[in-house]
């Protein structure tokens, strides 16, 4: 584990072996972070957060209460999580946090926004600047505001083309139809 001298990791936080925490990052006491992760500069991790193994969180990302990141998730620079659906400064809604789940291997592109209460499927790919306000199926490539499915992505990060039985350049195979992509690994 490596923690930069400017980072704050509150007593009680659990940080896995080999995790690196960079400049000006704050990890709250109740957070649980897996092994082999990287938290970039100016990252905030709240109390009620669980982060799996090998998660990469780039600079300027805040992971708020009720967010769960499974193994191998990538959070691009300055992407945004929310935890209250209809915030008002004058109305406390801390008892209304909506849980957000980002499943294994998903990529959240730079400056995208994940509206609370959604599940991002395994190996889904959210394009830079997109706004996700509904659940995302596994392997989906989501782009736009609001985000819409623009195709499918391989586990390796390459875009898949076609329907039926499809083989990626990396050798993995998938069954694709208009609604789903199923990996055969």
């Amino acid at each position: 584990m490596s923690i930069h001298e400017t980072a704050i990791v509150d007593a009680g936080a659990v940080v896995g072996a080999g995790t690196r925490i960079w400049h000006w990052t704050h990890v709250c006491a109740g957070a649980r972070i897996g092994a082999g992760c990287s938290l970039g500069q100016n990252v905030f991790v709240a109390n009620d957060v669980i982060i799996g193994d090998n998660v990469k969180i780039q600079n300027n990302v805040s992971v708020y209460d009720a967010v769960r990141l499974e193994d191998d998730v990538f959070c691009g620079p300055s992407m945004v999580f929310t935890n209250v659906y209809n915030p008002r400064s004058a109305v406390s809604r801390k008892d209304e946090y909506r849980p957000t789940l980002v499943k294994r291997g998903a990529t959240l592109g730079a400056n995208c926004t994940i509206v609370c209460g959604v599940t991002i499927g395994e190996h889904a790919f959210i394009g830079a600047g997109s706004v996700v306000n509904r659940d995302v199926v596994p392997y989906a490539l989501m782009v736009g505001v609001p985000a819409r499915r623009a195709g499918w992505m391989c586990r390796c990060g390459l875009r898949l083309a076609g329907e039926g039985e499809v083989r990626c350049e990396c050798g993995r195979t998938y069954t694709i139809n208009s609604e789903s992509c199923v990996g055969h690994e």
Side-chain angles (χ1 to χ4, degrees):
M1 175 173 33
S2 170
I3 300 173
H4 190 271
E5 64 186 31
T6 61
I8 299 169
V9 178
D10 292 342
V14 175
V15 179
T19 290
R20 296 171 317 229
I21 299 174
W22 295 100
H23 306 73
W24 315 113
T25 290
H26 182 190
V27 177
C28 292
R32 290 186 286 165
I33 300 170
C37 296
S38 177
L39 279 62
Q41 180 174 305
N42 197 38
V43 168
F44 171 76
V45 180
N47 280 300
D48 182 21
V49 170
I50 299 173
I51 297 173
D53 295 336
N54 196 42
V55 172
K56 306 296 186 254
I57 301 175
Q58 300 295 298
N59 297 350
N60 305 311
V61 174
S62 293
V63 186
Y64 295 119
D65 284 333
V67 173
R68 305 291 183 258
L69 306 177
E70 291 186 351
D71 296 347
D72 303 318
V73 167
F74 178 87
C75 297
S78 302
M79 62 80 45
V80 175
F81 290 104
T82 68
N83 60 6
V84 175
Y85 190 76
N86 53 341
R88 291 283 196 195
S89 180
V91 179
S92 177
R93 292 203 163 103
K94 290 184 179 184
D95 60 339
E96 297 177 24
Y97 290 164
R98 293 187 184 183
T100 298
L101 174 60
V102 182
K103 293 199 159 200
R104 181 185 182 120
T107 292
L108 309 177
N111 291 304
C112 74
T113 298
I114 308 300
V115 176
C116 59
V118 301
T119 297
I120 308 294
E122 291 182 352
H123 306 291
F125 196 103
I126 310 304
S130 299
V131 176
V132 174
N133 62 0
R134 60 191 167 124
D135 290 350
V136 174
V137 297
Y139 301 101
L141 168 61
M142 303 292 287
V143 297
V145 179
R148 300 281 185 242
R149 190 173 53 75
W152 304 103
M153 298 292 279
C154 178
R155 181 177 177 168
C156 76
L158 294 176
R159 191 167 183 176
L160 298 168
E163 285 197 1
E165 296 300 313
V166 174
R167 179 178 296 277
C168 179
E169 291 176 31
C170 75
R172 289 183 176 90
T173 59
Y174 298 86
T175 301
I176 298 175
N177 62 39
S178 62
E179 299 298 319
S180 69
C181 177
V182 177
H184 306 290
E185 300 183 47

